[in-house]
Amino acid sequence: MESYFNKEELLNVIHDFYILTKIRITIFDAEYNEILSYPDRKAEICEYLRGNKDFDHQCYLCDRAHMVQASKMSEPYIYTCHAGITEIISPLLLGEKVIGFLFFSHIFNYASHEEALKEILSRTNLYLNAYDTKVEAELVKKVPLFDSEYLKAAARLLQETASYFISNRMAYLKYEDLSSKIDKYIKEHLSEDLSSKVLCDEFGVGKTYLYQLTNELYGEGLAEHIRKLRVHKAMDMIRENKNIKISAIASDVGFDDYSYFIVIFKKETGMTPKKFQTSLRG
């Protein structure tokens, strides 16, 4: 399934967010590809450090590894990247399925810029002669310092922003193909267990998203839709064989309880299966 992002609307939100907080937000899809960010440019310290090809590759691996870790969590994930810069990731969750990630980046969680510089130098010194210490010192001073309480508040705000994107359909899954697959699966397995758990496991989606999807597709709940399909299949079986035993139909269309099958059939058609069969015989 492909994630879809309304880039224009997302950009408006993260632009406004930056105006208020001065924190850069980056959006990635579920395959760890960067979709957009504001500001478009990275912090100067990051651009300078990533000018080294080996260091840039480590940044890529670091981002990817932490997104993998964040995908296993239901809450924002705060960590220090391999360069010594603090970042926060919140997964974009549609039900239980991760469809992307939001990043707060370029934050220092140090008591002073001197402490931040000492940490960054200890990490960049591994790349011999790649950097100018004086340049690093000047660029470090431009990165804002935030304490741990601020980071926790920012993490909660990032999570709310992620939820806002999902609820306003700025980020969602293209499910045209998924809907046809679900329809096909249900129709081909009407006699089997079609509980929400079975369908969630089969298609790799969460219950919340499954219910949202089926309501949008069918205009009714999943269980109600399946019951109707089963009754319609039972009606087709009776039409094809007007002498078929009604008791044999129930289990064939997925009803373990024969009495319940009679109740649902009558609710959907206005008559019992036996009466429906009789009406066809003329």
Side-chain angles (χ1 to χ4, degrees):
M1 290 171 288
E2 181 183 357
S3 301
Y4 174 80
F5 299 89
N6 187 324
K7 293 184 180 181
E8 183 177 354
E9 291 189 21
L10 288 170
L11 187 59
N12 287 336
V13 174
I14 63 177
H15 167 268
D16 291 345
F17 195 92
Y18 179 79
I19 296 299
L20 293 173
T21 66
K22 301 304 179 186
I23 298 178
R24 181 177 189 259
I25 288 185
T26 307
I27 302 174
F28 289 78
D29 65 19
E31 284 71 46
Y32 319 116
N33 302 305
E34 184 173 332
I35 300 300
L36 76 161
S37 61
Y38 192 87
D40 187 47
R41 291 186 61 182
K42 298 177 176 64
E44 290 182 67
I45 183 65
C46 284
E47 288 197 334
Y48 178 68
L49 296 178
R50 296 186 74 152
N52 177 277
K53 185 169 62 175
D54 293 334
F55 194 91
D56 182 62
H57 181 63
Q58 290 304 312
C59 285
Y60 167 79
L61 295 177
C62 179
D63 285 347
R64 186 183 180 94
H66 285 105
M67 279 188 275
V68 170
Q69 179 62 30
S71 68
K72 303 173 184 177
M73 306 172 69
S74 58
E75 298 180 348
Y77 174 45
I78 304 175
Y79 67 96
T80 301
C81 76
H82 83 109
I85 300 171
T86 299
E87 297 184 326
I88 310 173
I89 305 177
S90 181
L92 284 164
L93 293 171
L94 190 54
E96 298 175 8
K97 186 173 182 60
V98 176
I99 66 170
F101 304 89
L102 294 190
F103 265 69
F104 272 178
S105 52
H106 311 152
I107 302 169
F108 277 162
N109 183 215
Y110 298 105
S112 66
H113 283 104
E114 289 74 22
E115 183 183 336
L117 177 61
K118 181 179 179 181
E119 180 62 27
I120 286 180
L121 288 176
S122 71
R123 295 171 184 245
T124 57
N125 281 343
L126 299 172
Y127 300 83
L128 298 176
N129 303 317
Y131 302 108
D132 184 322
T133 301
K134 291 183 179 179
V135 173
E136 288 185 83
E138 288 302 313
L139 296 180
V140 162
K141 291 177 184 178
K142 297 183 179 182
V143 180
L145 297 170
F146 297 108
D147 61 26
S148 296
E149 285 304 307
Y150 186 97
L151 291 182
K152 290 178 184 177
R156 289 193 292 270
L157 187 56
L158 186 65
Q159 187 174 28
E160 290 300 318
T161 303
S163 298
Y164 177 79
F165 287 164
I166 295 296
S167 63
N168 285 275
R169 292 182 63 77
M170 295 182 192
Y172 56 91
L173 288 174
K174 289 184 177 179
Y175 50 67
E176 288 82 0
D177 290 340
L178 176 60
S179 63
S180 62
K181 289 179 181 178
I182 291 178
D183 271 334
K184 182 178 179 183
Y185 184 87
I186 290 174
K187 289 173 182 175
E188 291 179 351
H189 298 80
L190 277 177
S191 63
E192 302 172 20
D193 181 5
L194 290 175
S195 63
S196 57
K197 182 180 185 310
V198 168
L199 293 174
C200 286
D201 290 345
E202 178 69 23
F203 295 100
V205 297
K207 283 186 179 180
T208 301
Y209 178 61
L210 179 67
Y211 294 148
Q212 175 187 332
L213 172 62
T214 52
N215 270 297
E216 289 181 5
L217 291 173
Y218 310 131
E220 59 189 2
L222 175 62
E224 183 180 359
H225 179 69
I226 291 173
R227 284 196 296 269
K228 286 183 178 179
L229 288 178
R230 284 172 166 162
V231 168
H232 290 159
K233 183 178 179 180
M235 293 170 71
D236 289 339
M237 291 176 68
I238 295 172
R239 289 190 184 100
E240 291 171 4
N241 183 357
K242 297 180 179 61
N243 296 313
I244 192 172
K245 291 185 177 180
I246 301 300
S247 58
I249 296 176
S251 60
D252 285 346
V253 296
F255 287 97
D256 295 330
D257 187 329
Y258 177 69
S259 298
Y260 182 61
F261 166 64
I262 301 298
V263 170
I264 296 300
F265 191 100
K266 185 175 182 179
K267 181 180 178 181
E268 291 296 327
T269 66
M271 62 183 77
T272 64
K274 189 66 177 177
K275 189 172 182 179
F276 176 71
Q277 185 180 55
T278 302
S279 69
L280 294 176
R281 290 172 180 166

